[in-house]
Amino acid sequence: MTKEEIENGTADMEIDQRELMNGDRSELNAVPDGFNANYLKVYYGKLFPHADIFKWMSYGNDGKHPGCDESYFGRREFSFTLDNDIYLRFQSFNSASQLENSIKEKCPFKIDIGPVYSVDPAKRHAYAQSGNNVFTPVEKELVFDIDMTDYDDVRYCCSGADVCLKCWTLMTIAIKVIDPALRDDFGFNHILWVYSGRRGVHCWVCDPKARRLTNEQRSSIAEYFRVYKGNENSQKKVSLTSSALHPFLLRSYKVLEEFFEGNLLSNQSLFSTEERYEKILEMIPDESITSELRGKWQDNKKSSISKENINVDRWKHVKKILKSGKQKAPGLGKCVEEIVFSFSYPRLDMEVSKHMNHLLKAPFCIHPKTGRVCVPIDPNRCEEFDPTAVPTLSKLLEEINMGGLGTDDDAEWDRTSLGKSIRFFRSSFLQPLLKSCKEEIENSYNAKLQHSKTSLTW
Amino acid sequence: MEIIGSQRRPVHIDVVPTLPLYRSAPPLEVRLEDFELYAMDRLRVLKGIADGLSRGKKSEEMKNLADHLWKANMRHPDASEVVNKDIISHFVLRLVYCRTEDLRKWFLSMETNLFRYRLLFKGPETQRALMVEFNLPYRAASNAELESVKEGLKQVAQSFGQPLAADAIFYKVPFEEVPELVAGRRVFIHKGYAYIAMNQVVSLVATQFRSHLSKALILTNRKWTSTIREQEKDRLTPIVEALCSSYLGPDYSQPREFAEISIKDIDQIAKSSFPLCMRHLFEKLREDHHLKHGGRMQLGLFLKGVGLKLEDALAFWKAEFSQRVGSERFDKEYAYSIRHNYGREGKRTDYTPYSCQKIITSAPGVGDHHGCPYRHFSEENLKAALGKMGISNRAVEDVMDKVRNRHYQLACTLTFEAVHGISCDAGINHPNQYFSDSQKVLQSKVHACALCFVPRLQEAYTLKCA
């Protein structure tokens, strides 16, 4: 080789190395999509917020104040679903490190959180003998589970396990209806909304009052939120009384109407085909009205209305006729509202909320089918949440790879996409919650002291 | 309470409450005969209430029914003894109904209903006095507080179709104290407090009553099992045990000999002898090869009551479900709960098949097929289903008439009569009763046929004779 060629060769090599360091990073660090024990090991080793979960579940009982209940955390049930569908119930831990070590060692595919029992779940058999139900749940967050498959009859963009930005609107609506009610009506403050990892959302209400609710009280709250009843065998699934609506429904309707008219109508093309508009006509119990509308729309097929307007226009027709006041048939009074409610009002899984001993997936778990992290959702900005952009396990591992050498081990999560979620979890949920728990522990401790002082004087 | 022989020494209670709260057994003496008779009279009242509820009667009708039942059964020739009878009968029935969870649940439910309807008949004075009795420290909301929530209160009143009175009194109560009102969206709630109208106070008081009685029943059960049952085994215990079973009817937890079925007969038997609710579930299961939890419970327990053995049940459900989810998933996810229903897992309770009352009051949701078709189906769907059972149009009309009046069990009874061609005087109260009555009819026809060699029903020939 000539001198020049050698020099050129070296130059090439230098360029290659620079390329390696900058442009082709993706190739070096690329982690194929997937969900498996190896990935999980890294996730639980470096990213999963063990300490935060421990702090949350302790509700201030960290032993630092004399009023703390040192047995509290140890009475909480966790359950692990391992590889091969092995299911371990009644797992309990006495410290943060026990929790962390067990998760790292067992590498569960799913972690569920259950209630706090009267005694350590590991000792439950000792108490079963007396037959007096001494082993019983005493505290559990009030939870809600909203799943997209319950809306399959009103979404046309996807079905089954699929989810897209169009139908995700239904989850946005659910949060915007339920969250204000939990705060304004029920007076709860410590509320965490979490993406379920695939096609829904969970809500954790963690106020002390909420945790101590009985099954009957939980049931009453779930019923307060229920509007949609029935199934394919019944006809009308939303039945509102003809007189005025309860203030909760009135307030919710404002949200529903906004999204129904501004979003769902077009995105779901609710009136664009005969099959679809017939579904809506079915909800109108007046033959003369439905045949009038049908006639109008069958004619319109031939006209040149652009596809975008067809849904908005036809909805306008429906509203006009139903509100025109010429109807004499009963059951038409709230028909417009019933249609809007049917298509958009939140559909809760009642059983999840009603029972204290229900086990619900922990936040920050990874969904096995999608690889996505169950990240918290900010209810004040839920319209911006995009389920298709939630970090996946493989993406996070890639980001860790890119971290390189010389980085601090402690807060690796902070340099990944998970950082934002954990910081949000801490600042908007965990810290205010712990502050309020500490206050409660102090207050009740002081009250007990006061009481014993006064009784001593007698 | 002291039970004495034939001597009678009445003791008068000094303070007569407007409605007894049954806080504690009073120091009364009761004759042995009255022990049983009073209890039976009260049981007629409770049973009548249960019956009215299962027919879907609304609050106003129930109130009147309860009053009527009370007046008819709880009188006493000696006016001063009326209250004693009330109290004694309640405490006797506590003994009878404290002994299992199902019994406690039933008694608790009916006594609370009875209390509520009686209270509704009394005026606001009594209701307020009882609030004090129950130590409900609820204060009336101040005018300032009411001002701030006035809009919401007005809207709630309007949702009942009632105007808001200018001087209406409201009680400010933590929402968790009034779960029924919250569940029905019948109150305005703000920042954790429910604003309760005077006439809703009854609900409040009834909830307290229920909670006290619930705890008392557990205590009574403990006392019964530990001392009373043994102590009284020659005197009261036999009476107590007889009182219970004579009124609740069979619960079908132990299927009788002739009702045993095997899976190869099941399609035929479903067509001929299942009530509509179970037929529907069965057909949906055959169609979809799946049922959701509510349906699995309702149909599964029914089949158990009908005599399907655990092994056969597992084979039956597996044959269907594996066509949808695969046999491995069936074994992993569904077999456990079938075994659970038969009392072979977990706390080993042998679950009893659901009665009509329980099924009627269930709430099937999206994707569910359980519940009572007479209540939960739309008219169209119900008529179609009845038509498929081979019932004449005329009979279908009669059935629909009952449905419109919310007499769901009567509708089912008429269906039974139309299908089998005979009358059913007892009325249908339980799906397993429908089944066993149906089998009785079909098999008696087989016997009759065998005797006179004339086939009446084609199906009869395919059934096994008992």
Side-chain angles (χ1 to χ4, degrees), chain A residues 411-428:
Chain A
E412 277 203 68
W413 53 264
D414 207 1
R415 269 165 275 103
T416 65
S417 319
L418 198 58
K420 199 170 106 184
S421 295
I422 294 186
R423 269 176 271 121
F424 171 76
F425 177 78
R426 288 179 179 178
S427 62
S428 81

Side-chain angles (χ1 to χ4, degrees), chain A residues 184-185 209 224 231 233 246, chain B residues 176 185 187 191-192 368 381:
Chain A
D184 297 337
D185 297 0
K209 198 189 202 193
Y224 181 81
N231 49 32
N233 300 315
H246 184 277
Chain B
E176 64 271 18
R185 288 192 293 262
V187 276
K191 292 296 180 198
D368 284 325
N381 285 334

Side-chain angles (χ1 to χ4, degrees), chain B residues 441-451 459-461 463 465:
Chain B
V441 171
L442 294 172
Q443 283 168 10
S444 70
K445 285 195 173 151
V446 171
H447 283 300
C449 297
L451 283 176
E459 286 144 15
Y461 275 107
L463 288 171
C465 279

Side-chain angles (χ1 to χ4, degrees), chain B residues 7-108:
Chain B
Q7 268 190 335
R8 235 194 114 186
R9 282 193 307 262
V11 175
H12 294 283
I13 315 173
D14 288 334
V15 178
V16 181
T18 41
L19 264 189
L21 300 179
Y22 317 110
R23 289 289 179 83
S24 53
L28 293 174
E29 287 169 343
V30 192
R31 285 189 306 173
L32 202 54
E33 311 89 88
D34 289 342
F35 184 87
E36 188 173 9
L37 289 172
Y38 287 178
M40 284 172 74
D41 284 343
R42 192 185 191 91
L43 202 42
R44 278 190 203 100
V45 177
L46 295 183
K47 246 276 160 174
I49 291 177
D51 195 58
L53 287 172
S54 72
R55 285 165 194 268
K57 290 196 169 157
K58 294 290 176 183
S59 192
E60 196 56 37
E61 294 172 79
M62 284 307 300
K63 195 175 97 187
N64 293 325
L65 173 65
D67 186 57
H68 170 81
L69 285 164
W70 187 264
K71 291 200 172 93
N73 291 290
M74 296 301 286
R75 289 179 192 283
H76 197 284
D78 181 351
S80 63
E81 283 295 299
V82 169
V83 173
N84 288 356
K85 180 171 174 179
D86 184 354
I87 299 179
I88 291 165
S89 60
H90 172 90
F91 278 94
V92 175
L93 287 184
R94 267 202 209 177
L95 277 180
V96 177
Y97 284 90
C98 70
R99 296 165 303 137
T100 74
E101 180 154 346
D102 277 348
L103 291 177
R104 287 195 291 270
K105 215 164 140 184
W106 185 87
F107 182 68
L108 187 61

Side-chain angles (χ1 to χ4, degrees), chain A residues 256-271:
Chain A
L256 300 180
E257 195 180 31
E258 180 195 324
F259 278 92
F260 179 81
E261 293 185 348
N263 182 310
L264 295 176
L265 265 184
S266 315
N267 280 344
Q268 298 294 332
S269 301
L270 294 178
F271 285 91

Side-chain angles (χ1 to χ4, degrees), chain A residues 222-249:
Chain A
E223 288 293 333
Y224 181 81
F225 286 134
R226 168 140 81 148
V227 171
Y228 186 91
K229 289 180 196 177
N231 49 32
E232 71 193 54
N233 300 315
S234 43
Q235 189 173 34
K236 248 194 175 179
K237 288 129 185 169
V238 173
S239 190
L240 306 170
T241 54
S242 295
S243 39
L245 293 178
H246 184 277
F248 163 65
L249 296 179

Side-chain angles (χ1 to χ4, degrees), chain B residues 98-300:
Chain B
C98 70
R99 296 165 303 137
T100 74
E101 180 154 346
D102 277 348
L103 291 177
R104 287 195 291 270
K105 215 164 140 184
W106 185 87
F107 182 68
L108 187 61
S109 181
M110 295 311 136
E111 276 286 332
T112 307
N113 281 320
L114 174 63
F115 180 79
R116 186 169 356 128
Y117 300 132
R118 288 176 73 195
L119 190 53
L120 281 171
F121 253 92
K122 308 277 182 188
E125 284 309 314
T126 312
Q127 294 161 4
R128 233 196 298 255
L130 281 175
M131 264 174 76
V132 172
E133 267 286 338
F134 273 112
N135 268 331
L136 298 177
Y138 302 134
R139 48 181 194 79
S142 69
N143 283 330
E145 281 170 324
L146 287 182
E147 261 314 298
S148 63
V149 295
K150 198 162 71 157
E151 199 45 46
L153 293 176
K154 230 196 287 178
Q155 286 165 355
V156 173
Q158 274 168 358
S159 73
F160 304 154
Q162 282 163 21
L164 184 64
D167 60 348
I169 304 173
F170 283 88
Y171 287 87
K172 194 175 160 185
V173 161
F175 78 86
E176 64 271 18
E177 305 277 350
V178 286
E180 290 164 35
L181 294 176
V182 169
R185 288 192 293 262
R186 300 182 67 77
V187 276
F188 178 68
I189 310 179
H190 185 66
K191 292 296 180 198
Y193 285 94
Y195 289 81
I196 306 197
M198 205 45 204
N199 64 6
Q200 293 174 316
V201 165
V202 170
S203 177
L204 231 165
V205 173
T207 307
Q208 288 296 320
F209 175 85
R210 192 196 165 95
S211 138
H212 283 229
L213 184 54
S214 176
K215 293 183 191 126
L217 279 173
I218 306 276
L219 289 174
T220 308
N221 183 38
R222 279 192 204 144
K223 256 170 86 191
W224 169 263
T225 3
S226 62
T227 47
I228 306 179
R229 180 174 57 191
E230 184 53 37
Q231 251 173 29
E232 291 291 339
K233 71 175 193 286
D234 298 320
R235 195 173 64 145
L236 300 182
T237 303
I239 300 177
V240 165
E241 284 171 355
L243 268 169
C244 168
S245 52
S246 63
Y247 274 89
L248 271 195
D251 62 3
Y252 299 97
S253 56
Q254 305 301 328
R256 277 168 278 172
E257 279 298 310
F258 73 81
E260 275 180 21
I261 63 171
S262 69
I263 23 179
K264 60 179 171 53
D265 299 334
I266 205 170
D267 284 275
Q268 193 53 51
I269 289 185
K271 275 214 189 70
S272 65
S273 296
F274 280 14
L276 184 57
C277 53
M278 301 303 172
R279 230 180 110 119
H280 177 69
L281 280 167
F282 185 79
E283 279 167 14
K284 278 295 169 188
L285 176 62
R286 285 286 192 226
E287 218 178 278
D288 299 338
H289 309 299
H290 189 272
L291 278 180
K292 287 184 91 166
H293 179 260
R296 297 199 295 273
M297 289 299 283
Q298 189 174 309
L299 181 61

Side-chain angles (χ1 to χ4, degrees), chain A residues 181-307:
Chain A
L182 288 172
R183 291 174 205 274
D184 297 337
D185 297 0
F186 292 100
F188 295 128
N189 295 308
H190 302 288
I191 300 172
L192 177 70
W193 288 90
V194 185
Y195 174 51
S196 76
R198 185 161 59 161
R199 58 186 188 217
V201 294
H202 296 162
C203 176
W204 298 76
V205 184
C206 305
D207 296 57
K209 198 189 202 193
R211 301 189 326 257
R212 289 167 202 151
L213 291 171
T214 64
N215 285 357
E216 189 188 7
Q217 290 160 345
R218 285 161 206 262
S219 190
S220 72
I221 299 177
E223 288 293 333
Y224 181 81
F225 286 134
R226 168 140 81 148
V227 171
Y228 186 91
K229 289 180 196 177
N231 49 32
E232 71 193 54
N233 300 315
S234 43
Q235 189 173 34
K236 248 194 175 179
K237 288 129 185 169
V238 173
S239 190
L240 306 170
T241 54
S242 295
S243 39
L245 293 178
H246 184 277
F248 163 65
L249 296 179
L250 276 175
R251 196 189 341 140
S252 304
Y253 187 69
K254 294 203 181 79
V255 175
L256 300 180
E257 195 180 31
E258 180 195 324
F259 278 92
F260 179 81
E261 293 185 348
N263 182 310
L264 295 176
L265 265 184
S266 315
N267 280 344
Q268 298 294 332
S269 301
L270 294 178
F271 285 91
S272 58
T273 69
E274 184 175 335
E275 190 185 337
R276 291 185 190 184
Y277 67 60
E278 277 301 328
K279 213 191 197 135
I280 297 186
L281 291 181
E282 249 171 41
M283 299 183 199
I284 302 175
D286 184 317
E287 277 290 345
S288 60
I289 292 184
T290 52
S291 32
E292 188 180 327
L293 288 169
R294 207 176 273 123
K296 210 175 187 156
W297 298 339
Q298 273 161 359
D299 284 343
N300 273 348
K301 256 194 218 162
K302 300 158 194 160
S303 82
S304 61
I305 294 181
S306 73
K307 278 237 167 88

